[in-house]
Amino acid sequence: MIQAGSVYPTLMARPMQNTICLFDVDNTLGPVRRAVSPEMHSLLSRLRHKCAIGYVSGSNLAKQQEQLSTPSVPVTSLFDFCFAENGLMAFKLGVHLSSTSFIDWVGETMYKALVNWVLKYIADLDIPVKRGTFMEFRNGMVNITPIGRNASNAERDEFQRYDKEHGIRKTMVEALKRQFPDLGLTYSIGGQISLDAFPVGWDKTYCLRHVEAEKERSGLVYDKIHFFGDMTQKGGNDHELYEDDRTIGHTVANPEDTMRQLKELFDL
């Protein structure tokens, strides 16, 4: 059962008040673009009684609301910290902390050049299936999808297998780097079908500035920051946060593995 945030001790009153657990979403908390299980919600609830918890995802808040919660329960009430778009849209205990704009950073002229190049590249790409919504503009990044975000779950599964064999996204990232060497963007492969483009430093480590700001904001110092993610290999969108000196990184194979590791690490 999904519980509201009011049933938990204050952050200062948690037994492990200097510990926070951060989670990737897709294939860490739940299957890719599918709902998180009741068992995972129950386990996170027990963990939240011990320490602070948060998620960090490249997707926007609407997608996390759909995947992590129900229409009647705000997703921002289920975690102490919610870091949508890698923390460029951040919430603490349901309160909005800040937002940062990709378009303000890159500028309209260069953004149009990027869009035009990507759409032409995908138009010339020979892959088994193409659907719709090949680019999705987000507050802090651009999500690029060779097959299109309108693909069905079965089509996403098939593209993931095809991509592993043929390196479609990896090849596209290399082409983007050659085409825009001075744009100051990082390209990160994530999930089953897409890659993200965002300014250097706006990867998932961006969320740590909010975590560290708690020292001044509330007096809490999180000196044990656990991060759980599945795409921790170099080039994966969990890699930078997993490798960061400020975090204790945990690679997971799937949501069931996440639950197994949490039970062992935190005696749940």
Side-chain angles (χ1 to χ4, degrees), residues 18 24 34 48 52 55 104 115-117 121 125 154 175 179 185 201 218 232 244 249 268:
N18 297 118
D24 167 52
R34 301 174 200 179
R48 196 176 178 188
Y55 70 77
D104 289 345
V115 170
N116 291 341
W117 186 91
Y121 183 96
L125 195 60
Q179 183 68 26
L185 296 181
S218 66
T232 59
D244 195 281
L268 296 171

PDB file of all heavy atoms in Angstrom, residues 18 24 34 48 52 55 104 115-117 121 125 154 175 179 185 201 218 232 244 249 268:
ATOM      1  N   ASN A  18      22.366  10.564   8.853  1.00  0.00           N
ATOM      2  CA  ASN A  18      23.403  11.037   7.935  1.00  0.00           C
ATOM      3  C   ASN A  18      23.511  10.182   6.677  1.00  0.00           C
ATOM      4  O   ASN A  18      24.462  10.321   5.906  1.00  0.00           O
ATOM      5  CB  ASN A  18      24.755  11.094   8.641  1.00  0.00           C
ATOM      6  CG  ASN A  18      24.760  12.075   9.791  1.00  0.00           C
ATOM      7  OD1 ASN A  18      24.965  11.695  10.941  1.00  0.00           O
ATOM      8  ND2 ASN A  18      24.493  13.336   9.497  1.00  0.00           N
ATOM      9  N   ASP A  24      18.107   5.188  -9.145  1.00  0.00           N
ATOM     10  CA  ASP A  24      17.642   5.293 -10.519  1.00  0.00           C
ATOM     11  C   ASP A  24      16.233   4.699 -10.550  1.00  0.00           C
ATOM     12  O   ASP A  24      15.822   4.000  -9.617  1.00  0.00           O
ATOM     13  CB  ASP A  24      18.607   4.509 -11.415  1.00  0.00           C
ATOM     14  CG  ASP A  24      18.068   4.283 -12.806  1.00  0.00           C
ATOM     15  OD1 ASP A  24      17.653   5.262 -13.443  1.00  0.00           O
ATOM     16  OD2 ASP A  24      18.051   3.115 -13.254  1.00  0.00           O
ATOM     17  N   ARG A  34       7.319   0.975 -16.600  1.00  0.00           N
ATOM     18  CA  ARG A  34       6.173   0.263 -16.037  1.00  0.00           C
ATOM     19  C   ARG A  34       6.114   0.503 -14.536  1.00  0.00           C
ATOM     20  O   ARG A  34       7.064   0.940 -13.920  1.00  0.00           O
ATOM     21  CB  ARG A  34       6.266  -1.233 -16.355  1.00  0.00           C
ATOM     22  CG  ARG A  34       6.308  -1.500 -17.852  1.00  0.00           C
ATOM     23  CD  ARG A  34       6.533  -2.953 -18.186  1.00  0.00           C
ATOM     24  NE  ARG A  34       7.031  -3.110 -19.546  1.00  0.00           N
ATOM     25  CZ  ARG A  34       7.343  -4.270 -20.103  1.00  0.00           C
ATOM     26  NH1 ARG A  34       7.206  -5.390 -19.420  1.00  0.00           N
ATOM     27  NH2 ARG A  34       7.807  -4.318 -21.348  1.00  0.00           N
ATOM     28  N   ARG A  48      12.620   3.958   4.539  1.00  0.00           N
ATOM     29  CA  ARG A  48      12.412   5.383   4.838  1.00  0.00           C
ATOM     30  C   ARG A  48      12.245   5.648   6.323  1.00  0.00           C
ATOM     31  O   ARG A  48      12.449   6.772   6.783  1.00  0.00           O
ATOM     32  CB  ARG A  48      11.195   5.886   4.053  1.00  0.00           C
ATOM     33  CG  ARG A  48      11.092   7.404   3.974  1.00  0.00           C
ATOM     34  CD  ARG A  48       9.932   7.826   3.099  1.00  0.00           C
ATOM     35  NE  ARG A  48       9.819   9.277   3.077  1.00  0.00           N
ATOM     36  CZ  ARG A  48       8.818   9.936   2.518  1.00  0.00           C
ATOM     37  NH1 ARG A  48       7.826   9.263   1.928  1.00  0.00           N
ATOM     38  NH2 ARG A  48       8.778  11.260   2.550  1.00  0.00           N
ATOM     39  N   ALA A  52      16.951   8.728   4.918  1.00  0.00           N
ATOM     40  CA  ALA A  52      16.329   9.484   3.830  1.00  0.00           C
ATOM     41  C   ALA A  52      16.414   8.686   2.539  1.00  0.00           C
ATOM     42  O   ALA A  52      17.375   7.941   2.309  1.00  0.00           O
ATOM     43  CB  ALA A  52      17.022  10.828   3.662  1.00  0.00           C
ATOM     44  N   TYR A  55      14.866   9.553  -5.390  1.00  0.00           N
ATOM     45  CA  TYR A  55      15.160   8.993  -6.701  1.00  0.00           C
ATOM     46  C   TYR A  55      15.792  10.082  -7.562  1.00  0.00           C
ATOM     47  O   TYR A  55      15.620  11.276  -7.328  1.00  0.00           O
ATOM     48  CB  TYR A  55      13.895   8.435  -7.378  1.00  0.00           C
ATOM     49  CG  TYR A  55      12.899   9.481  -7.826  1.00  0.00           C
ATOM     50  CD1 TYR A  55      13.117  10.224  -8.986  1.00  0.00           C
ATOM     51  CD2 TYR A  55      11.747   9.737  -7.101  1.00  0.00           C
ATOM     52  CE1 TYR A  55      12.217  11.184  -9.404  1.00  0.00           C
ATOM     53  CE2 TYR A  55      10.840  10.690  -7.501  1.00  0.00           C
ATOM     54  CZ  TYR A  55      11.082  11.418  -8.665  1.00  0.00           C
ATOM     55  OH  TYR A  55      10.198  12.382  -9.064  1.00  0.00           O
ATOM     56  N   ASP A 104      17.699  27.882 -22.005  1.00  0.00           N
ATOM     57  CA  ASP A 104      18.382  29.123 -21.625  1.00  0.00           C
ATOM     58  C   ASP A 104      19.893  28.962 -21.722  1.00  0.00           C
ATOM     59  O   ASP A 104      20.615  29.915 -22.053  1.00  0.00           O
ATOM     60  CB  ASP A 104      18.004  29.532 -20.192  1.00  0.00           C
ATOM     61  CG  ASP A 104      16.571  30.033 -20.096  1.00  0.00           C
ATOM     62  OD1 ASP A 104      15.976  30.321 -21.150  1.00  0.00           O
ATOM     63  OD2 ASP A 104      16.054  30.112 -18.962  1.00  0.00           O
ATOM     64  N   VAL A 115      18.396  20.034 -33.264  1.00  0.00           N
ATOM     65  CA  VAL A 115      17.149  19.362 -33.647  1.00  0.00           C
ATOM     66  C   VAL A 115      17.175  18.977 -35.125  1.00  0.00           C
ATOM     67  O   VAL A 115      16.849  17.840 -35.491  1.00  0.00           O
ATOM     68  CB  VAL A 115      15.938  20.263 -33.351  1.00  0.00           C
ATOM     69  CG1 VAL A 115      14.667  19.675 -33.967  1.00  0.00           C
ATOM     70  CG2 VAL A 115      15.747  20.428 -31.849  1.00  0.00           C
ATOM     71  N   ASN A 116      17.563  19.912 -35.973  1.00  0.00           N
ATOM     72  CA  ASN A 116      17.578  19.644 -37.412  1.00  0.00           C
ATOM     73  C   ASN A 116      18.512  18.484 -37.756  1.00  0.00           C
ATOM     74  O   ASN A 116      18.180  17.609 -38.565  1.00  0.00           O
ATOM     75  CB  ASN A 116      18.004  20.893 -38.182  1.00  0.00           C
ATOM     76  CG  ASN A 116      16.963  21.989 -38.112  1.00  0.00           C
ATOM     77  OD1 ASN A 116      15.800  21.735 -37.795  1.00  0.00           O
ATOM     78  ND2 ASN A 116      17.364  23.217 -38.399  1.00  0.00           N
ATOM     79  N   TRP A 117      19.689  18.476 -37.116  1.00  0.00           N
ATOM     80  CA  TRP A 117      20.655  17.416 -37.407  1.00  0.00           C
ATOM     81  C   TRP A 117      20.135  16.064 -36.933  1.00  0.00           C
ATOM     82  O   TRP A 117      20.219  15.058 -37.653  1.00  0.00           O
ATOM     83  CB  TRP A 117      21.989  17.726 -36.737  1.00  0.00           C
ATOM     84  CG  TRP A 117      23.062  16.748 -37.103  1.00  0.00           C
ATOM     85  CD1 TRP A 117      23.945  16.836 -38.140  1.00  0.00           C
ATOM     86  CD2 TRP A 117      23.349  15.506 -36.431  1.00  0.00           C
ATOM     87  NE1 TRP A 117      24.768  15.731 -38.169  1.00  0.00           N
ATOM     88  CE2 TRP A 117      24.425  14.899 -37.133  1.00  0.00           C
ATOM     89  CE3 TRP A 117      22.818  14.867 -35.321  1.00  0.00           C
ATOM     90  CZ2 TRP A 117      24.959  13.681 -36.753  1.00  0.00           C
ATOM     91  CZ3 TRP A 117      23.343  13.635 -34.953  1.00  0.00           C
ATOM     92  CH2 TRP A 117      24.398  13.062 -35.652  1.00  0.00           C
ATOM     93  N   TYR A 121      19.349  12.766 -39.161  1.00  0.00           N
ATOM     94  CA  TYR A 121      20.099  11.539 -38.883  1.00  0.00           C
ATOM     95  C   TYR A 121      19.139  10.360 -38.716  1.00  0.00           C
ATOM     96  O   TYR A 121      19.345   9.281 -39.286  1.00  0.00           O
ATOM     97  CB  TYR A 121      20.941  11.728 -37.625  1.00  0.00           C
ATOM     98  CG  TYR A 121      21.816  10.542 -37.266  1.00  0.00           C
ATOM     99  CD1 TYR A 121      23.145  10.495 -37.664  1.00  0.00           C
ATOM    100  CD2 TYR A 121      21.309   9.467 -36.525  1.00  0.00           C
ATOM    101  CE1 TYR A 121      23.958   9.408 -37.342  1.00  0.00           C
ATOM    102  CE2 TYR A 121      22.108   8.379 -36.199  1.00  0.00           C
ATOM    103  CZ  TYR A 121      23.430   8.359 -36.606  1.00  0.00           C
ATOM    104  OH  TYR A 121      24.221   7.276 -36.282  1.00  0.00           O
ATOM    105  N   LEU A 125      18.308   6.763 -40.886  1.00  0.00           N
ATOM    106  CA  LEU A 125      18.705   5.575 -40.139  1.00  0.00           C
ATOM    107  C   LEU A 125      17.862   4.380 -40.572  1.00  0.00           C
ATOM    108  O   LEU A 125      16.629   4.449 -40.605  1.00  0.00           O
ATOM    109  CB  LEU A 125      18.518   5.838 -38.642  1.00  0.00           C
ATOM    110  CG  LEU A 125      19.175   4.897 -37.632  1.00  0.00           C
ATOM    111  CD1 LEU A 125      20.687   4.891 -37.800  1.00  0.00           C
ATOM    112  CD2 LEU A 125      18.797   5.343 -36.214  1.00  0.00           C
ATOM    113  N   ALA A 154       6.561  -4.084 -26.418  1.00  0.00           N
ATOM    114  CA  ALA A 154       7.167  -5.176 -27.176  1.00  0.00           C
ATOM    115  C   ALA A 154       8.189  -4.636 -28.177  1.00  0.00           C
ATOM    116  O   ALA A 154       9.266  -5.223 -28.359  1.00  0.00           O
ATOM    117  CB  ALA A 154       6.084  -5.981 -27.901  1.00  0.00           C
ATOM    118  N   ALA A 175      28.557  10.141 -33.462  1.00  0.00           N
ATOM    119  CA  ALA A 175      28.273  11.079 -34.549  1.00  0.00           C
ATOM    120  C   ALA A 175      27.905  12.462 -33.999  1.00  0.00           C
ATOM    121  O   ALA A 175      28.304  13.491 -34.556  1.00  0.00           O
ATOM    122  CB  ALA A 175      27.141  10.541 -35.425  1.00  0.00           C
ATOM    123  N   GLN A 179      29.794  16.020 -34.739  1.00  0.00           N
ATOM    124  CA  GLN A 179      29.041  17.114 -35.358  1.00  0.00           C
ATOM    125  C   GLN A 179      29.028  18.374 -34.502  1.00  0.00           C
ATOM    126  O   GLN A 179      29.059  19.490 -35.019  1.00  0.00           O
ATOM    127  CB  GLN A 179      27.599  16.650 -35.631  1.00  0.00           C
ATOM    128  CG  GLN A 179      26.733  17.686 -36.333  1.00  0.00           C
ATOM    129  CD  GLN A 179      27.170  17.952 -37.760  1.00  0.00           C
ATOM    130  OE1 GLN A 179      27.778  17.085 -38.395  1.00  0.00           O
ATOM    131  NE2 GLN A 179      26.860  19.133 -38.287  1.00  0.00           N
ATOM    132  N   LEU A 185      28.073  19.653 -24.663  1.00  0.00           N
ATOM    133  CA  LEU A 185      27.043  18.710 -24.241  1.00  0.00           C
ATOM    134  C   LEU A 185      27.636  17.351 -23.909  1.00  0.00           C
ATOM    135  O   LEU A 185      28.646  16.934 -24.464  1.00  0.00           O
ATOM    136  CB  LEU A 185      25.981  18.531 -25.331  1.00  0.00           C
ATOM    137  CG  LEU A 185      25.142  19.751 -25.695  1.00  0.00           C
ATOM    138  CD1 LEU A 185      24.130  19.388 -26.777  1.00  0.00           C
ATOM    139  CD2 LEU A 185      24.421  20.319 -24.466  1.00  0.00           C
ATOM    140  N   GLY A 201      28.237  18.339 -16.892  1.00  0.00           N
ATOM    141  CA  GLY A 201      27.995  18.564 -15.474  1.00  0.00           C
ATOM    142  C   GLY A 201      26.541  18.435 -15.074  1.00  0.00           C
ATOM    143  O   GLY A 201      26.216  18.412 -13.881  1.00  0.00           O
ATOM    144  N   SER A 218      19.200  22.754   6.396  1.00  0.00           N
ATOM    145  CA  SER A 218      18.555  22.122   7.555  1.00  0.00           C
ATOM    146  C   SER A 218      19.524  21.673   8.637  1.00  0.00           C
ATOM    147  O   SER A 218      19.094  21.235   9.695  1.00  0.00           O
ATOM    148  CB  SER A 218      17.751  20.909   7.086  1.00  0.00           C
ATOM    149  OG  SER A 218      18.628  19.909   6.572  1.00  0.00           O
ATOM    150  N   THR A 232      25.389   1.538 -14.935  1.00  0.00           N
ATOM    151  CA  THR A 232      26.561   2.123 -14.282  1.00  0.00           C
ATOM    152  C   THR A 232      27.838   1.998 -15.104  1.00  0.00           C
ATOM    153  O   THR A 232      28.868   2.552 -14.733  1.00  0.00           O
ATOM    154  CB  THR A 232      26.787   1.472 -12.904  1.00  0.00           C
ATOM    155  OG1 THR A 232      26.973   0.059 -13.088  1.00  0.00           O
ATOM    156  CG2 THR A 232      25.604   1.707 -11.978  1.00  0.00           C
ATOM    157  N   ASP A 244      31.127   8.705  -8.731  1.00  0.00           N
ATOM    158  CA  ASP A 244      31.480   9.921  -8.001  1.00  0.00           C
ATOM    159  C   ASP A 244      32.064   9.599  -6.617  1.00  0.00           C
ATOM    160  O   ASP A 244      31.587   8.694  -5.930  1.00  0.00           O
ATOM    161  CB  ASP A 244      30.230  10.809  -7.839  1.00  0.00           C
ATOM    162  CG  ASP A 244      30.574  12.220  -7.429  1.00  0.00           C
ATOM    163  OD1 ASP A 244      30.853  12.439  -6.216  1.00  0.00           O
ATOM    164  OD2 ASP A 244      30.575  13.115  -8.285  1.00  0.00           O
ATOM    165  N   GLY A 249      28.489   3.506  -4.627  1.00  0.00           N
ATOM    166  CA  GLY A 249      27.735   3.013  -5.766  1.00  0.00           C
ATOM    167  C   GLY A 249      27.396   1.536  -5.679  1.00  0.00           C
ATOM    168  O   GLY A 249      28.197   0.724  -5.224  1.00  0.00           O
ATOM    169  N   LEU A 268      16.503  -5.165   6.302  1.00  0.00           N
ATOM    170  CA  LEU A 268      15.069  -4.891   6.140  1.00  0.00           C
ATOM    171  C   LEU A 268      14.275  -6.181   6.045  1.00  0.00           C
ATOM    172  O   LEU A 268      14.763  -7.195   5.583  1.00  0.00           O
ATOM    173  CB  LEU A 268      14.869  -4.057   4.872  1.00  0.00           C
ATOM    174  CG  LEU A 268      15.496  -2.653   4.891  1.00  0.00           C
ATOM    175  CD1 LEU A 268      15.422  -2.023   3.516  1.00  0.00           C
ATOM    176  CD2 LEU A 268      14.820  -1.777   5.930  1.00  0.00           C
TER     177      LEU A 268
END
